[in-house]
Amino acid sequence: MRTAIERKRDGNSLDAATWHEIIAAYAQGAVDDAQMAALAMAVHFRELDLDEIVALTEAMVESGECLQFPRVPFVVDKHSSGGVSDIVSLVAVPIVAACGVPVAKLSGRALGHTGGTIDKLEAIPGFRVALGTKEFIAQVERVGCAIAAASDALAPADKRLYRLRDRTGSVPSVGLIVASILSKKLAGGAHGFVFDVKCGSAAFMHDEREAVLLARRLVEVAARFNRPAHAVVSAMSEPLGRCIGTGIETIEARDFLRGMRHDARVKELVLAISAKMLALGGIDDGERRAVAALAEGHAYERFVAMVEAQGATRAALESLAVAPRAHEMRATRGGTVARIDAVSLGNLSRRLTSRASTAGIELAVSIGDLVERGQPIATIYGDGVGAHDIQHAIEILDTPESVLPLVLATL
Amino acid sequence: MRTAIERKRDGNSLDAATWHEIIAAYAQGAVDDAQMAALAMAVHFRELDLDEIVALTEAMVESGECLQFPRVPFVVDKHSSGGVSDIVSLVAVPIVAACGVPVAKLSGRALGHTGGTIDKLEAIPGFRVALGTKEFIAQVERVGCAIAAASDALAPADKRLYRLRDRTGSVPSVGLIVASILSKKLAGGAHGFVFDVKCGSAAFMHDEREAVLLARRLVEVAARFNRPAHAVVSAMSEPLGRCIGTGIETIEARDFLRGMRHDARVKELVLAISAKMLALGGIDDGERRAVAALAEGHAYERFVAMVEAQGATRAALESLAVAPRAHEMRATRGGTVARIDAVSLGNLSRRLTSRASTAGIELAVSIGDLVERGQPIATIYGDGVGAHDIQHAIEILDTPESVLPLVLATL
């Protein structure tokens, strides 16, 4: 192992057999956390080439179980690199399923200032995110979609390595990130993937060039496993939607699906991602089909079916309401909304939702909006955060602000 | 700790308080090997600035005991970065003591292909290298010199960190090397240091620029602790002396001290190091004094006194003889000795000495020597290695070989 660390440290590539041996030895305890942490830090500085990412991914997949969907010809999954008010999964999964392409979505929990789809769904009373393997597969076959927490049996080496990297400062590495994401996704058994790579101050990747590189690598490595994939690189500086919290984002997604909300930014990204997911499933006019599934209520009904299949009821979903205590926040000056700090808002909403799962923040403005002094700009639901906490997160300036594109690149 | 790792990883300097906290937390277990290994690897890539080396060194010194020599005005110590047939300590320590400057030398064991002074002295029957703190100090005061193994109570954090770096591939880092060497030396209590930094294919530092940088850093950091220091950068591609082994090197040193051997390379480096050690002790014409101490037998008598103080006898020292089974190795062609591979010879001698402590290899030639076919070029004492193993380590070519200088730089 020391030799392998030194070779990587000195800028060499390790061959596939070595990566397999390292991960196997790590699983058995023959390689310990200290050696693995040193290797991961060396990789942070030296990176992995494509063959190395493929080998590491494969080794981590082989460390655990793999799901299979024998009764469905083509199942898609979708992954987001994490954002604030990122409700794309909640909306796109039932849309795609309603359009006829089954979705087997394995999701994570909140991480730092970013939300987790699992946490959001758990705000619906009765909703179960821990599905057994057979149950998950059966639901995908029967309902056409499921969103569940990834079982510990899938790519356990990745889970252990990620926890290690997280506490030893070697999370930033395109190669390690790709191997981590893809090992989980491959173990999840879907036949094609769409990756939503967020880019900006509130995303894991701040730099667009790096985000595009990550997106490209994800697609390239998936291809090496014969899994067609697409990637969308999208901006994540301001929150994607209007609501920030767990239950409040589920409410926003529900209301978007049933036509009671029409936020343009959410719509743009949901349609872009849905179209790519449908394209993988052989549907070329995906955007048109997705718009129709929304308009005709099929997407919402599929969402309800999924909610019911996972232990909750339509009534529980439809009676879900934001936490009662509300505080309206108003602009302290007139001007243009120049900046909405998604990191701060994400962290503040974590404080709110720790007291009530349907607490959170609802924005009334986006970057570029003109506001007058005294105009409502946000509503805070729940206790624990006041307007003064949020004041600095929404910046209003005299100068007009150009609105940057939401979708930065598609692959 | 994660923040500290990330700051170092991203090229920032950590302040002195942070280094002290890290080492204290590592000693208490609040920082574990995985985090420390990641930090060390980040340091390998980003290096430490002078202030950081000073802080890390100080923190590691403070992790354990420090020796003091209250009854001696100025004690020197000497450190070698490790070489093959490096008998400088065995010869220079008694020379310097004989010239009136006390030497408190803490030494290590063999590492890889390089020998360890402690192992060499242990070849003398009865010689004790594990001296108690009081005993070590008293011997320096009474005899003027002692060479002992560093106690585990000195800079224990360094010992733990070095072992970790060794198995996780982060040994190469000038800053970490300086902190490791100096923390042990400072804890050893000497008032001034001479560093023999080896450079070449058989040295830890292959590159002269890096070796000079290490030498400079050692002197600079010592100065920050108010310890005057000098450094000598010397070539280590071929073995320094003629003998390679443990006991066989002690025999070579003994015979050099008593005027029965006069190897020019050993003499040059011993005099350079001795003069620097004497200069620290206030003696300006050190080289002349050292030559006299050798010629008049004072240096040898001081060596005998040290051997006796550490449990062995003059008779044991003087009856020490090389292992009996000898094999003479002859030149397979005529020409000039172009290369003597000290790494191979060091490794082969480890095989020989593992069977008998006075086994080893004695060279009859140096690089640049003209040899005729059939002329003896080396003798192998002991079992386990034959002439064919050594053949490739001594290369004879037609072209005359220019002899490179032994002492490359002095600071």
Side-chain angles (χ1 to χ4, degrees), chain B residues 173-238:
Chain B
S173 150
V174 167
L176 292 176
I177 293 168
V178 169
S180 176
I181 293 172
L182 263 180
S183 61
K184 284 187 296 249
K185 290 287 134 185
L186 289 165
H191 306 109
F193 309 114
V194 173
F195 303 104
D196 182 8
V197 177
K198 308 290 190 186
C199 168
S201 57
F204 188 75
M205 294 278 165
H206 293 200
D207 176 60
E208 186 170 339
R209 203 185 51 80
E210 278 270 291
V212 170
L213 174 65
L214 173 60
R216 185 174 300 127
R217 279 290 194 238
L218 284 164
V219 172
E220 284 169 344
V221 176
R224 291 281 292 269
F225 289 91
N226 295 313
R227 301 295 213 288
H230 291 294
V232 175
V233 179
S234 65
M236 177 44 66
S237 299
E238 65 176 315

Side-chain angles (χ1 to χ4, degrees), chain B residues 96-181:
Chain B
V96 172
C99 294
V101 175
V103 187
K105 168 100 184 85
L106 293 173
S107 274
R109 297 211 173 261
L111 197 66
H113 62 276
T114 67
T117 299
I118 289 306
D119 300 307
K120 296 172 194 175
L121 285 168
E122 278 184 336
I124 306 168
F127 194 97
R128 291 189 305 114
V129 297
L131 300 183
T133 300
K134 284 183 184 169
E135 194 179 11
F136 179 69
I137 294 167
Q139 184 180 321
V140 171
E141 290 168 354
R142 187 169 53 80
V143 180
C145 60
I147 301 179
S151 131
D152 286 344
L154 303 183
D158 166 65
K159 285 191 181 60
R160 192 169 155 206
L161 178 56
Y162 186 85
R163 275 197 296 268
L164 178 67
R165 287 166 56 211
D166 187 43
R167 71 188 185 86
T168 60
S170 63
V171 169
S173 150
V174 167
L176 292 176
I177 293 168
V178 169
S180 176
I181 293 172

